[in-house]
Amino acid sequence: QSQLEESGGKLVQPGESLRLSCATSEYGSNYFALAWFRQVPGKQREGISCISSTGSTTYYIDSVKGRFTISRDDAKQSTYLQMNSLKPEDTGVYYCASAPTGWNMFDCRRWNDYRYWGRGTQVTVSS
């Protein structure tokens, strides 16, 4: 059973933009760090961006830095991934996830600590 729910994935052309949304319910409160992962066929799922529980710190892998923006709206129990200048290599299934922080300093790049997941949404970048 998935605790989070992604939406917004679709087929787009290279260079276009797309915004993914994730309904986090109680797993997106300020007790949780949030992240987006991506999986392509034949490869392991990888963390591509994360945001701290307070929203003060964000992280991006090099391949999406400057093009993707992660955000969170705890009042709406949601997190978002704005993706600009999309490339074919951005194609994959995108998952949102949350990690409990224990009210401690938590590096959101601790990818193995993400415990709650959505089912994923497909993003295809192709002309």
Side-chain angles (χ1 to χ4, degrees), residues 52-64:
S52 63
S53 59
T54 61
S56 60
T57 303
T58 58
Y59 170 81
Y60 304 91
I61 60 172
D62 286 344
S63 62
V64 307

Side-chain angles (χ1 to χ4, degrees), residues 76-127:
K76 294 183 177 180
Q77 296 184 323
S78 295
T79 183
Y80 308 98
L81 187 68
Q82 177 66 43
M83 306 186 293
N84 298 331
S85 303
L86 283 162
K87 303 176 181 180
E89 52 263 44
D90 295 319
T91 295
V93 180
Y94 284 70
Y95 299 86
C96 63
S98 69
T101 65
W103 299 115
N104 298 318
M105 292 296 293
F106 182 88
D107 184 340
C108 69
R109 294 171 293 177
R110 288 167 54 177
W111 306 118
N112 290 335
D113 287 351
Y114 283 84
R115 192 177 301 174
Y116 305 103
W117 294 85
R119 294 183 178 179
T121 186
Q122 175 71 44
V123 173
T124 303
V125 185
S126 175
S127 55

Side-chain angles (χ1 to χ4, degrees), residues 26-77:
E26 67 265 37
Y27 302 102
S29 73
N30 60 4
Y31 183 76
F32 296 88
L34 300 172
W36 287 91
F37 290 71
R38 178 171 67 197
Q39 187 165 26
V40 300
K43 293 189 177 181
Q44 285 191 327
R45 186 164 53 188
E46 67 169 340
I48 61 170
S49 181
C50 63
I51 186 167
S52 63
S53 59
T54 61
S56 60
T57 303
T58 58
Y59 170 81
Y60 304 91
I61 60 172
D62 286 344
S63 62
V64 307
K65 196 175 297 182
R67 299 188 297 121
F68 289 12
T69 303
I70 190 172
S71 61
R72 63 187 295 159
D73 186 336
D74 293 349
K76 294 183 177 180
Q77 296 184 323

